[in-house]
Amino acid sequence: MRHACFVVVSVAALATASLASAGEETFLYKLDDGSGNVNVGPPSTFDADMLWGNYFQAQSTGRQIFELQVGLGTSYPRDAFNQPLPLTLYLFEDPDNDGDPTNAVPVAETTIIPTVFTQGGFNVAPIPPTIVEGGFFVAANVFARGGVDRPARLDPQPVGGENAWLFYS
């Protein structure tokens, strides 16, 4: 099921090689201003593998992605020892540039143990430098208990377009 919401997943991208050598400037793809104050998770009727993310169009000055960032809700899933569950972050290319994540192709991924769960804070995860062209998705994935865990931080500020989505499985 696809839901339109402004979920907080942002991606930082390294500028083109020529700019990088001249002081390592960065280009930031971002749909979050850090003010997300609503947490989203599966309804109380079921536990779910949760995948949420944002869609971006590659810019000529930011085609090489070297890290992914994600803001998380304060009720992030934890194990029996109260430790945060691993979170997998993905970078997907959109082969037909239609903005629909159902046929996206993974090009990079990393798994982290998140440590930042505050409004305005982001978990940062390096990935192997990956070139993007056209449309691409950045996604976060974790298993969440229905009605208990709300790992996705929602940014209610309008950013234009339906560039965010959420899946439960």
Side-chain angles (χ1 to χ4, degrees):
M1 177 178 254
R2 184 175 174 186
H3 299 272
C5 59
F6 295 105
V7 182
V8 179
V9 176
S10 62
V11 59
L14 185 64
T16 59
S18 59
L19 288 175
S21 63
E24 299 209 10
E25 297 178 37
T26 59
F27 183 91
L28 185 64
Y29 294 94
K30 191 172 183 178
L31 290 180
D32 174 29
D33 65 5
S35 68
N37 57 0
V38 177
N39 299 326
V40 180
S44 61
T45 53
F46 60 89
D47 296 341
D49 195 26
M50 209 172 138
L51 181 73
W52 70 98
N54 293 135
Y55 185 69
F56 301 96
Q57 284 292 323
Q59 303 298 308
S60 61
T61 57
R63 292 185 39 234
Q64 185 177 30
I65 309 295
F66 66 91
E67 71 180 21
L68 305 176
Q69 300 179 22
V70 62
L72 298 170
T74 55
S75 56
Y76 185 83
R78 296 180 177 269
D79 66 16
F81 302 102
N82 201 31
Q83 298 301 307
L85 292 183
L87 176 74
T88 302
L89 298 172
Y90 296 96
L91 178 62
F92 293 97
E93 57 181 38
D94 183 10
D96 54 10
N97 291 311
D98 66 353
D100 182 349
T102 59
N103 69 339
V105 177
V107 292
E109 74 177 76
T110 188
T111 299
I112 63 169
I113 302 297
T115 58
V116 179
F117 309 97
T118 58
Q119 182 174 337
F122 294 90
N123 291 274
V124 178
I127 61 169
T130 306
I131 301 293
V132 293
E133 293 183 23
F136 66 95
F137 299 92
V138 178
N141 176 240
V142 70
F143 184 80
R145 295 168 296 161
V148 176
D149 300 325
R150 301 202 182 294
R153 192 172 73 198
L154 182 111
D155 187 349
Q157 310 305 316
V159 294
E162 289 189 14
N163 295 326
W165 42 269
L166 167 66
F167 288 97
Y168 296 123
S169 173

